[in-house]
Amino acid sequence: MDIQRELLDTVLRADQAGANALLDAWAAEHGYGRLLVDVVEPMLEYVGRTYMDSQSVTLAQAYVAGMIAEDALNKMVAQNRRGQAENVSPRGPVVIGNIEEDFHALGRRMVGTFLTAEGWQVHDLGNDVSAQQFVDKAQEVGARVIGVSAMMTTTARNIGHLRAEIDRRGLTGRIQLAVGGAIFVLCPELVQEVGGDGTAQNALGATRLFEQLWQRSLEREAGA
Amino acid sequence: MNGIERVQATLTGQAVDRRAVAPVLSLYGARLTGCPLDRYYTDSEFYARGQAAVADLFQPDLLFSSFSFASVGAAFGGNLFFSGNQAPNLRRPAILSPEEWDTLVWPRHDTNPHLLYFQETIQRLVEAHGSEVLVAAPVVPPFDVPTLVMGIEGWLRLVLTDRSRARGVLEKCVPFFVEMANSYFEAGAACVVAPCGFMSPSVVTRDIAEHFSRPALAAALPQLKGPIVLHHVGAPMLAHLDLLTGLPSTLGLAVDRQDDLDQARAIAGPDLTIFGGPSVFRMPGYTASEIEADCRALLENRRQDARFILCTAGPDVPWETPPENIQALRRTAESFSGRSVPA
């Protein structure tokens, strides 16, 4: 069985210890330099592609996938090999955070981990972030995508303020708005209602969504 | 029949004049009375006024005591946060590291104001409405107590990375849950309702649900002084529903709108009451006619099933739901009056 298949099995079992043992064994033979590119990213890509359109992945499985990515990153950094990771071209920057009055951090943190593992430069503003703070940071760092998370219907509606702030500053299209959280899976019509430009079924689908929105921003600017 | 008779007949599989209706309207009472949420969720008198308004307007067959699990987290020292038109949340949990469990001071059910509030709301509801309807009390199951104490990420990480320590924490949560539920029964609750997050297929693997979470329920439920309804927590439960059967003290299973009711009945067996209904997430956006059509489809599906109660599927009915959408549940149940329900 190949390493990617074995790693996927540990994710589906939500077996964090097993995943770590696999990665350490692989790195002992091949080093940490290509751990992300050869092992972790293909696993994330497969899981994201397989499960992003379904609800069959559990929170525990997605969380283990996130921990695997985080651990792999940390080990690479610890061995000072981050810069040697081949074929990981930096992407972004992007800004993420939970909308004002929302304190459910888990999904946002997982999105941040998956994005970082795939080379995105992520500015995580944390919980309870105002519309102004989101857009200020996006303008400061030159982000084309803001990822905003909310868990409840009530807090999801606060995202409308962020949509209005982006539009008010004349950044419509230039800054794309990715919205996420369980409530958007349960009520897909909320995406349009709050002015989102896209969403994903779960944190694993976020990287693909951000890539799509980044391209859309570029196309929008080129066409302007 | 009044609500008590209707629900009790349903639970025992007897004939009813119409289907029992039990929308979860804990939050909605605050809307009906215009009560500030920080008072509604901390002062049982204001909660009881809200539920009196619920009873007047909707005449449900079950009333629910306060559905504010964040307040349980606050009892441990978490930072309660009120915002918008929703039950409070926790801005910051009481503890952040697994080691803090070892020195955690557990709140007492007979002295902690956050926990006493729950008992007082039950007492007030029973005093005011106990001759007409039963009072059901939402309760945090043992495997979800840590979510309120250290946050879901901290608890998930502990379960996934240090199962032995997590099991030790869970063992401490069993007596806390038992005392909490029994305090509700002593206050007059007819049953408790436990949304089972760490049993849900959307949250944990079957292995965790079966070998970590379920044993805690199996240990706790024989110690309860009354019956319990095990709840789907707002997501499909069918894939793990069998793990919620065969447990003592269980009188029913609340399932999600996406769960197939025929399959749910097959898994539950003939004796458990199934609670099902329209998704609360749809209730604000649907029209009353759409809610009625949804309820009618559900009742038609359950026509031969005596042990079925029409409720709302999910957590609390959202604040912004139009009252006529809630009234649609009872109206639909009444339109089925006179149709045969097996005795």
Side-chain angles (χ1 to χ4, degrees), chain A residues 12 14 16 58-61 63-64 67 70 101 103-104 106 109 152-155 157 183 186-189, chain B residues 81 83-86 89-91 152-153 156-157 160-161 201-205 208 234 236 258 281-282 320:
Chain A
L12 297 181
Q16 163 73 1
T58 71
L59 179 63
Q61 289 165 332
Y63 189 71
V64 165
M67 282 198 296
E70 198 168 15
E101 300 181 345
F103 293 88
H104 300 90
L106 178 56
R109 279 182 30 77
M152 314 292 289
T153 314
T154 45
T155 52
R157 294 218 161 86
I183 193 62
L186 294 163
C187 301
E189 68 276 10
Chain B
F81 175 73
S83 76
N85 296 323
Q86 60 181 345
N89 275 296
L90 284 172
R91 187 194 301 268
I152 190 169
E153 182 171 4
L156 193 56
R157 179 177 282 267
L160 292 170
T161 59
S202 66
V203 177
V204 294
T205 61
I208 293 172
Q258 296 177 65
F281 302 110
R282 296 288 175 194
E320 60 272 29

Side-chain angles (χ1 to χ4, degrees), chain A:
Chain A
M1 189 181 285
D2 65 78
I3 177 72
Q4 291 165 14
R5 183 70 227 177
E6 287 184 73
L7 191 60
L8 178 63
D9 285 345
T10 65
V11 169
L12 297 181
R13 289 198 309 271
D15 177 9
Q16 163 73 1
N20 271 344
L22 270 179
L23 292 181
D24 287 343
W26 192 91
E29 187 176 345
H30 303 282
Y32 282 95
R34 296 190 58 84
L35 188 63
L36 271 181
V37 173
D38 287 354
V39 181
V40 177
E41 279 189 15
M43 181 273 293
L44 293 178
E45 168 67 15
Y46 178 82
V47 175
R49 191 173 61 245
T50 306
Y51 295 105
M52 73 176 291
D53 293 327
S54 76
Q55 295 176 42
S56 58
V57 64
T58 71
L59 179 63
Q61 289 165 332
Y63 189 71
V64 165
M67 282 198 296
I68 289 170
E70 198 168 15
D71 286 350
L73 273 173
N74 289 338
K75 284 171 179 169
M76 289 172 64
V77 169
Q79 301 220 358
N80 199 24
R81 291 176 181 272
R82 183 75 180 88
Q84 294 179 28
E86 295 167 35
N87 300 327
V88 179
S89 52
R91 289 188 266 184
V94 294
V95 173
I96 64 172
N98 285 61
I99 196 63
E100 56 191 323
E101 300 181 345
D102 195 287
F103 293 88
H104 300 90
L106 178 56
R108 184 202 80 241
R109 279 182 30 77
M110 289 166 64
V111 166
T113 299
F114 292 134
L115 287 169
T116 304
E118 298 210 2
W120 290 84
Q121 184 189 346
V122 178
H123 296 268
D124 186 344
L125 302 184
N127 290 333
D128 191 22
V129 182
S130 71
Q132 290 74 20
Q133 289 172 308
F134 269 116
V135 185
D136 285 348
K137 176 56 79 173
Q139 288 192 293
E140 175 193 329
V141 301
R144 291 180 179 275
V145 183
I146 292 175
V148 59
S149 177
M151 185 169 179
M152 314 292 289
T153 314
T154 45
T155 52
R157 294 218 161 86
N158 290 340
I159 295 173
H161 303 149
L162 175 53
R163 172 80 271 164
E165 185 66 15
I166 292 170
D167 295 344
R168 189 183 68 77
R169 297 193 196 185
L171 298 167
T172 311
R174 168 65 170 78
I175 292 181
Q176 296 282 316
L177 184 58
V179 299
I183 193 62
F184 292 104
V185 178
L186 294 163
C187 301
E189 68 276 10
L190 257 184
V191 177
Q192 189 172 11
E193 181 184 329
V194 304
D197 293 312
T199 190
Q201 286 283 317
N202 52 50
L204 286 158
T207 53
R208 181 173 293 192
L209 173 66
F210 274 58
E211 186 65 51
Q212 290 167 349
L213 294 180
W214 189 274
Q215 288 304 320
R216 196 185 296 170
S217 169
L218 289 173
E219 290 163 11
R220 171 71 184 249
E221 199 165 61

